[in-house]
Amino acid sequence: MVDWIAEPFQLRSGTTALQESRMVGKFQGKFDSGNMANLQVDNLLVRADSFAIQAQDQATGAGGARKGQAAFRVDPSRMIASMQSEPSGGASPPLLITGDVTGQLDWTIDPSDIKWHLVTQARELRAVQPTTPPRNPNQLVSTGTLANSESVLWQEPQAVVTVDGSYRFSDGNLQLPQVLMQTEWLAYGGATQVTHQGETTIVQSQGSVTYDAAKAAERLRPYTGGTLAATGQKSQPLEVTWVSAPGHKWTEALSAKSSIGWDSANVVGIDIGGAEIPLVIENGRFASKAEFPVSQGVLRWNLDGDLVSEPMVIRQTQQRVIENVAITRQMCQGWLKYVTPLLADVTSVQGNLTLDIDRAEIYPTESFRQTIQGRLHVHGANVGPGPIADQILMLVTQIRNLRKGAGASDGGGQPTSWLQLPEQDIAFAVDRGRVMHRDMKIQAGDVVLTTSGAVGLDGSLELVAGVPILKEWVDKTPALQSLAGQMIQIPIRGTVSRPQLDSSGMIQLGQQLATSALAGAAQKQIDRGLNKLLGPLQQGGSQLPLPNI
């Protein structure tokens, strides 16, 4: 028996090194330095910070044939931390993977090749990308801390991978005739081979993927923001090819073909039927293009993804992506509440919209870098109750009361319980985690408001509602007539679910109205007093001329 300890342990290859603070080993068996073929490993146990392995191996006959088995456990987070490499300038923070990985490996070796059977189980796997949201120099109100956060890229409660393979010593060719992977929502079965042509390495894989569309959509939530829901059990072919290219990133040499499908789906709040969408990766670039007739309109996209860039980016071609589609409550609970916050979580809505995208760059691993510019065309909409809609209706009621107090000829107008979005184009932009819009018109009877500002992806509000003071509202109140044509500014803060209106502008206008009313009442009282004391002014007959001093 041989026991050994290494503190620390380091193994270096090129620019990469495995660094363990402590490694402990125990060997039981037979070792013949004169003839390694006689090596017998009855028990080998190695423990380090990031992994542990126990193995047995022995010769099985003449000619160097051997047979062995091993069991292992790996802590992915510690293993990644132990793997050190020279940093590259401008690189994104390293990916963090947590979980527990265990496995069993059996092998046989003969002079021509090595064959193995591997079964690996992973539990509570979680991949996260550390991110630091960039500070927005134009942001007036803080919406949260700028401390480092984590963007969850993937998580799997359990996964099992089985691989049968062989490696030929003469030419370095690798054959994996059976590769199986099973998770709670996906199963893959296929074969892979790795060949060499001179200094070029070629990897080719063919198989099929079977998945539960509903669970797949849930797994894709970090990338879709919850804008995709689907149903159905689907099976799709998958082909992957990789050809080594010296001096290039591995993603540049990646090509793949497959498709994604469903029996039914809801995309950005729009219901669509069954579909099969081709997915293509060519030399590290991803492409997907589709068009569907939906809800009396059209839904389409044309996506181009760059897997080589750091971080990965997906771009939408300039295009009309939604055309004359009915507005749904699902839209108002999702993406639409950021573009038109009035519609946030409304209980009912009637109308149609069209969406033009002028520019879109989506960073799946860094949401704060997403940049989108476009125009939302509202083809008229009636808006029912909702958090912001209710606040706007209360504001309209205050305006009507002020108009009535100012003696407006229409008595303040007729009350209403619905708001309208008249036919209009709303320009919007997504930048640094905020969705900004400008001059969205809202109508309640004869009251027209406009809102401009931003909605954070965290739901925070930085809006201003503007209400123009019309001449007919104040034409019977001389003290307020100078306000005609001016704009009452109403800041709206809080969140889309709990908006807070700052009514100080309305209060100030009400105070001016009250002051004017008191002044008018006081003047009438003075006139009455003078009439009693001096009598009424002469009316009708001749009047004496005013004397000079």
Side-chain angles (χ1 to χ4, degrees), residues 188 205-209 236-242 254-260 277-283 285-287 307:
Y188 169 80
S205 178
Q206 289 186 327
S208 64
V209 178
Q236 311 288 356
L238 174 61
E239 298 181 10
V240 179
T241 302
W242 182 82
L254 178 65
S255 298
K257 292 182 180 180
S258 187
S259 61
I260 184 171
I277 309 301
L279 301 177
V280 178
I281 298 175
E282 197 68 41
N283 297 324
R285 301 198 69 88
F286 157 82
L307 308 184

Side-chain angles (χ1 to χ4, degrees), residues 266-469:
N266 183 284
V267 181
V268 295
I270 302 172
D271 290 327
I272 58 179
E276 297 285 340
I277 309 301
L279 301 177
V280 178
I281 298 175
E282 197 68 41
N283 297 324
R285 301 198 69 88
F286 157 82
S288 176
K289 186 176 182 180
E291 180 171 319
F292 310 93
V294 293
S295 186
Q296 302 177 352
V298 178
L299 169 67
R300 59 175 70 90
W301 66 74
N302 189 358
L303 301 174
D304 174 62
D306 187 352
L307 308 184
V308 178
S309 65
E310 293 185 6
M312 179 179 69
V313 59
I314 299 175
R315 297 181 175 88
Q316 163 65 42
T317 303
Q318 183 176 7
Q319 187 179 36
R320 176 159 288 183
V321 295
I322 299 176
E323 185 170 357
N324 197 30
V325 169
I327 302 173
T328 65
R329 288 184 60 191
Q330 292 95 325
M331 293 183 191
C332 300
Q333 294 167 355
W335 65 275
L336 197 53
K337 69 182 178 182
Y338 301 103
V339 180
T340 54
L342 173 70
L343 299 178
D345 300 328
V346 295
T347 58
S348 58
V349 61
Q350 300 170 355
N352 286 41
L353 61 80
T354 293
L355 178 63
D356 288 335
I357 296 297
D358 298 325
R359 177 192 176 198
E361 294 184 349
I362 308 300
Y363 296 85
T365 62
E366 298 185 17
S367 60
F368 271 81
R369 294 188 60 176
Q370 294 181 5
T371 302
I372 304 174
Q373 295 177 353
R375 287 156 292 134
L376 181 69
H377 311 274
V378 179
H379 305 299
N382 294 322
V383 182
I388 297 179
D390 292 346
Q391 294 290 315
I392 294 295
L393 280 172
M394 290 177 60
L395 176 61
V396 170
T397 300
Q398 292 176 351
I399 294 172
R400 296 193 191 284
N401 292 335
L402 283 175
R403 290 166 57 184
K404 187 175 181 180
S409 57
D410 60 0
Q414 296 298 317
T416 180
S417 59
W418 281 72
L419 298 175
Q420 289 80 40
L421 288 176
E423 181 92 20
Q424 61 183 301
D425 290 348
I426 304 170
F428 71 93
V430 180
D431 184 45
R432 304 189 186 197
R434 301 195 309 162
V435 183
M436 293 159 283
H437 75 269
R438 184 175 63 252
D439 297 332
M440 180 179 70
K441 296 181 179 63
I442 305 170
Q443 189 166 354
D446 61 347
V447 178
V448 178
L449 308 86
T450 61
T451 65
S452 298
V455 181
L457 295 180
D458 59 358
S460 58
L461 296 175
E462 294 178 30
L463 304 175
V464 174
V467 184
I469 301 176

Side-chain angles (χ1 to χ4, degrees), residues 36-200:
M36 291 298 296
N38 293 329
L39 173 65
Q40 179 175 324
V41 181
D42 296 327
N43 186 42
L44 173 65
L45 178 62
V46 179
R47 289 194 180 96
D49 295 331
S50 63
F51 70 92
I53 184 171
Q54 187 168 13
Q56 297 175 341
D57 180 85
Q58 62 182 359
T60 58
R66 305 190 63 84
K67 181 179 181 180
Q69 60 180 352
F72 59 88
R73 182 183 296 274
V74 176
D75 183 323
S77 61
R78 293 182 179 181
M79 177 62 74
I80 292 174
S82 298
M83 301 294 292
Q84 301 176 352
S85 60
E86 296 178 0
S88 57
S92 301
L95 185 69
L96 300 179
I97 300 178
T98 60
D100 180 39
V101 179
T102 60
Q104 298 281 339
L105 176 64
D106 299 312
W107 64 84
T108 59
I109 303 175
D110 61 36
S112 61
D113 62 11
I114 177 173
K115 297 181 177 68
W116 67 85
H117 174 72
L118 170 68
V119 178
T120 300
Q121 292 184 327
R123 292 181 175 85
E124 303 302 331
L125 276 182
R126 191 168 183 264
V128 298
Q129 181 76 54
T131 59
T132 302
R135 182 178 296 276
N136 182 3
N138 300 317
Q139 187 168 343
L140 301 179
V141 179
S142 173
T143 59
T145 177
L146 291 177
N148 291 345
S149 60
E150 294 180 342
S151 176
V152 178
L153 304 183
W154 206 260
Q155 50 188 359
E156 288 291 344
Q158 186 171 0
V160 179
V161 177
T162 301
V163 178
D164 291 338
S166 65
Y167 178 80
R168 195 162 57 205
F169 298 126
S170 60
D171 54 14
N173 285 357
L174 175 67
Q175 298 286 334
L176 305 177
Q178 177 175 269
V179 179
L180 304 175
M181 182 178 69
Q182 180 77 47
T183 71
E184 292 182 349
W185 64 279
L186 175 144
Y188 169 80
T192 300
Q193 64 176 0
V194 181
T195 58
H196 302 276
Q197 297 179 2
E199 297 183 355
T200 301

